[in-house]
Structures are given as structure tokens and as C-alpha cells.
Amino acid sequence: MNQYIINGNHPLFGEITISGAKNAAVAIIPAALMVDGVCRIENIPQISDVTLLFSILDELGAKVRVLNQHAVEIDSRHIHSTKPSPDMVRKIRASYYLIGALLGRFGQASVAMPGGCNFGVRPIDQHVKGFKALGAEVTEGNYVHAAAKSASGRLQGANVYLDVVSVGATMNVMMAAALAEGTTVIENCAKEPHIVDLANFLNSMGADIKGAGTDTIKVRGVERLNGGTYCIIPDQIEAGTYMTAVAATGGQLLIKNIIPKHMECISAKLMEMGVYVEEMDDTLLVRRTGPLQRTNVKTQPYPGFPTDMQPQIAAVLSLAQGTSLVTEAVWSNRFRYVDELRRLGAQIQVDGRVAVIEGVDCFEGAPVEACDLRAGAAMVVAALAAKGTTEISNVQFIERGYEDLVGKLRSVGADIRIVDVPDEALTTESIG
Ligand code: EPZ
């Protein structure tokens, strides 16, 4: 197991190029199972969640050919199983996309569900509601077994109203509907950029999906998806994490390969805090010279402030002048990282879904743990600003979602290195 050792309190200067979006990739790779042909996917982030998904696809009979660091070809013409290995599936939350993809194409899927959860109850009732509406019989236990009930073995288009705005349910139902007979209308959809990206991927393979990015998505089922080429969008949260890093340390970063529109919810908050943010085509210039000002943040589905940036912004607000409130409105328990941040000197009180943050002048380095992916990112942000040395353990969580975080930060002047430590503390809890 690796640890990160960070000697903080150095401003960051330079350029960072953002990788492909994790939460788009972890849906698009399973969706490649729906393609009765060969698809080439570009701008794939090199992260462990992606590597794991390739292994799952390979085991089901897809041929995954790595073309270069960020591009693969997936040939799903000869899939021989609709029951992926539970051991691999349980390691990644996004494995629920295998249900929509396999059910959509083959009319059946048996997928183990990931155990445990890191930030509150993570039900999949809305996914199941959608599959049932499309004519599947679904049973849930250690596995989710889903099978189309119609004589043709295909799902049937239907109207699906989601009771909760859910990213996963929106994407899963959209996938399943893409190869159904007839038209599906999904209402109360999530609007995150990765939903639009998945719809664009499926459309580029021959699907007929309209309205992704709004709260109503209309899917006209087609008989088959053919091969094609697709390039994944840049990662909004990776970009936001580096924005918060420079906000915490001071300095100036040029953050390249972003979609400015996706960054507005994060830029707006940082500007309120006194950080300079300038948008230029596919690049953001982020500079912090003066003190940070307090503000309040409430997480919301897109285009609101993303829950996946909540720990990182809390780390920065801990260094702002005055008292800030952070309200977590998406997950019921996403403040587990607060105890770790306190080890560095943060003054935070949590009451239910609200964290009250009293800004402090500086952090002091200490040993801390990454308790999940974004919690880990927040530890890195805080450690970069802390005086002295911080050791971050459990960084395998961070490596699930950030490509070459250490290399990228070193290239802009951070004193961060990876060290190997004995394996005994390795946890396998799933997130993402
Ligand atoms: C996705 O999770 C992301 N994961 C999460 O990213 C992200 O935090 C979340 O969306 C919200 O943006 C992936 O894309 C792999 P939801 P997802 O369904 O789809 C409730 C990261 O750090 N709900 O939008 O699982 C649920 O309990 C992560 O990259 C139901 O009640 O999230 C939650 O309160 C971790 N029933 C809310 O909806 C359901 O059937 C939003 O969850 C589904 C969800």
C-alpha cells in the first residue's frame, strides 16, 4: 500500500492538464458492452476504477485492446456471459451500470452489488424502478437479477418518473432503454455533464437519445448499436480539485483541457472567497494572492455545487477568515473526513448535514487517512497548505479517481512523494 508524504506550505505555480472524466468513463466503459461492434474510446483516464472495469469486460468476453495511455478499442461482439464475477464487481460502485448495459443488450443481467457504503445509504431503488417500468423482472439480494419479461427478450419502452434526482439511475435507465422496443421518456433526470457524455457516446454508436442535460430524456429504442469512435469529456471534479489546491496554497495555476461551463459552479464559489479565476477557451487561470474570505456552500445536483467537491472546498474554507457553513444536501453522511481535517488543525463542527467551519490561520502537518476518494483529495489539498509534513494513508482511494495526482502536483512545485508501506491496513471498502 502506498502513502503520500507532503511537505506543505509552498505556493503552486504552472500548468496542469486535466484527464478524462472518471464518472463518465465508468459509465461509458460498461455501455461499450451494448455495442455489437468495435468502439474506440479516447481520453480515458488512467485510474484504478477504469482498469478494474476493463478486467470485468474482458471476463465477460469483450476484447479490450489498449491503443495508448488514454485510448482503447473494445470489441463486444462475442460476449459470453451476463454474470460478471462478484469479486471484481463488489470493488466498484459503478458496477451497477453493468445491469443497464447487459439487460439492455441481452435482456438479462446478474450483477452482485457492492457492499458497504461510505457516505450514507446508497439505495438503487430508482434504477430498479426504471428497469421494471421497461418490462424487466428484477430480484434483489446479494445479486441483482434482472430479465426482460417479453417474448422477444427485449425491454419495452415506457414512461419512467424518477422520484429522486439520481445520476446513476438516469444513466442506467437510459442505457437499458437505448436498445428497448419503442420509446422511453425518463422524467426528473439528473443533468450532470457525464449524463450528456454517456448519451453522446450512445448516440455516436447509433442510439437515438434526446434531452440529456435537461430533466426529461427521450430514448427511441434502436435494434443495435454499431461501432464508432468517442472521446470522453474532461473531468470537472479533477479540475475543481486543483482549483481548490491553488486556492489553499496560494500561487497561480493554468488548468488546461476543461469545459468552462462545467466549472462555473466551482469558479463562482472560489471567486466569492477572493480567488481570481479567468476563463479562456478550454483553460482556466486560477490565482490566489490575498487572504481567503468565508462563504457558505450547499451541495446540489448539477448545475449546483457538486457534492464531489464538498470535502475539498471545506478544506479551503477552513483557511478562510470567518465562519463558513457547508451543507451536504445529496448524501446523508459525507463528513467522515472532518476528523482527519481536524488533525491538521481545522476547526469544524458537524450537525447533521451542516458543517460549521471556523477559519484558522494555518494547518500543521500530521498523519491522516483518506477515508474515501474525495475525502482523500481534501487531505491532499489541506496538506499542500499545511506547515510541516503530512502523511496520507489509504491513498488507493485517491488513485481510483485521480490520474497521476502526484506527478501533476510535483510538476507545479508541490513537495509530494509516494512511499510504499506494509499492506496490513489495506481496506477494500467500495466507493465511487
Ligand atoms: C454518482 O453516484 C457519482 N458516482 C458520485 O461520485 C456522486 O457523488 C453522485 O453521483 C452525486 O453526484 C458515479 O458516477 C460512479 P446518485 P450515484 O444516484 O449515481 C439517492 C465520486 O466521488 N438515491 O445521484 O450513486 C442517493 O441515496 C462519487 O466520484 C436514491 O435514493 O449517486 C443520494 O442521496 C462518489 N435511490 C442521491 O439519490 C436511488 O436509486 C444521489 O445519488 C439512487 C440514488
Side-chain angles (χ1 to χ4, degrees), residues 54-76:
F54 286 155
S55 303
I56 294 175
L57 260 62
D58 179 71
E59 196 206 30
L60 296 175
K63 288 195 177 59
V64 180
R65 195 158 74 92
V66 176
L67 302 175
N68 62 46
Q69 246 191 327
H70 295 119
V72 290
E73 239 173 38
I74 301 178
D75 179 352
S76 297

Side-chain angles (χ1 to χ4, degrees), residues 2 17 35 138 150 214 323 372:
N2 289 336
T17 301
V35 178
V138 185
S150 73
T214 74
T323 305
D372 63 47

